Amino acid sequence: MVGRAVDRAVQVHGGLGYLRTTPVERFYRDARLYRLYEGTSEVQRVIIGGGLLRDAGMPRG
């Protein structure tokens, strides 16, 4: 969700959204870093799915 919000903010600011003098640019960089730091979406889905199956008492496999 952070990525979507920052993408919209950059769109609203247009070309100024990419300038290092604006907070929007820093937010955009930070949001991108969080996406890379957390891992791929597919890996996150596997981890979450495994946790849900374990909580439901179902074997994962």
Side-chain angles (χ1 to χ4, degrees), residues 14-39:
L16 294 176
Y18 288 107
L19 296 179
R20 288 208 182 259
T21 58
T22 63
V24 175
E25 186 273 338
R26 190 187 81 225
F27 297 146
Y28 187 76
R29 279 187 293 124
D30 291 348
R32 183 68 183 146
L33 178 64
Y34 291 139
R35 287 181 197 163
L36 297 174
Y37 178 73
E38 292 176 359

